[in-house]
Amino acid sequence: MRSLSHPERHLVERIGWLRAAVLGANDGIVSTASLIVGVAAASSGKPEVLVAGLASLVAGAMSMAAGEFVSVSSQADTEQADLARERRELREDPESELQELTQIYVARGLDPDLARQVAKQLMAKDALGAHSRDELGISEVVAAKPVQAAITSALTFAAGAALPMIVALAVPFGVLIPAVAAASLVFLAALGAVGAKTGGASPVVGAGRVLFWGAAAMAATAGIGWLFGTVAA
């Protein structure tokens, strides 16, 4: 029997930070590697490539942090507005709220008498918590955390972007494009597999989907770089 002092932990508890971490690292690798490949295809020197890559790392990390903070803050605002409305309804018409919660439990399979008894007991202990969880679907596990999402996204974007930058620094300019592209695809496959595994999904599927979009992005920017490099020449 599982000890009550050691509650079971579920994968859904990782949703908040896992989503931001995978998105940040994936975007860091894809966008920076794609920019490096595109600039390398259009230019004739390594310094321009490294400057572009560094600019992508800094700007991308800040953009990801700002975007995640604004997006998740909007979600948090909506949750708080719903909770305020629920708090008001509980204060003004508790009987209707009791009936509403009872019907939720009936729809989940309890008989009406038991459902009403459960609803009464839960509302006696924490009425708002019961309604936020079972009516609105808001809980501590999945509640929006803007600061956590912003910091996670910025740090993981920078970490992801640093990987193709390291490769670009290490290899001669003549082999920079294939080296960065190949290494980045390996990084993406590993990230997709780890992210999927951490979330309880198939590592093969996770690796496959990020590989497809990463390869498409680098191919597109390389094509644009070669095209404009040829035109400029």
Side-chain angles (χ1 to χ4, degrees), residues 122-231:
L122 289 177
M123 288 183 65
K125 181 178 181 181
D126 182 7
L128 182 61
H131 279 270
S132 66
R133 180 180 61 251
D134 294 323
E135 181 184 347
L136 303 177
I138 300 172
S139 70
E140 181 63 26
V141 171
V142 297
K145 299 178 178 65
V147 174
Q148 180 193 67
I151 293 174
T152 302
S153 293
L155 292 178
T156 53
F157 182 98
L163 296 175
M165 279 291 294
I166 292 171
V167 176
L169 279 166
V171 301
F173 184 73
V175 297
L176 189 147
I177 292 176
V180 169
S184 296
L185 290 176
V186 172
F187 298 146
L188 285 170
L191 173 65
V194 170
K197 181 69 174 178
T198 304
S202 167
V204 175
V205 174
R209 59 194 175 200
V210 296
L211 274 176
F212 173 80
W213 291 108
M218 284 185 281
T221 54
I224 292 171
W226 276 314
L227 176 62
F228 282 92
T230 301
V231 170

Side-chain angles (χ1 to χ4, degrees), residues 31-54:
S31 61
T32 304
S34 297
L35 186 59
I36 288 174
V37 168
V39 173
S43 67
S44 57
K46 196 171 181 178
E48 297 95 327
V49 174
L50 297 178
V51 169
L54 182 60

Side-chain angles (χ1 to χ4, degrees), residues 104-121:
I104 290 172
Y105 298 145
V106 169
R108 293 181 181 177
L110 297 182
D111 66 69
D113 290 339
L114 179 57
R116 186 173 179 84
Q117 182 181 0
V118 170
K120 278 185 175 181
Q121 292 185 8

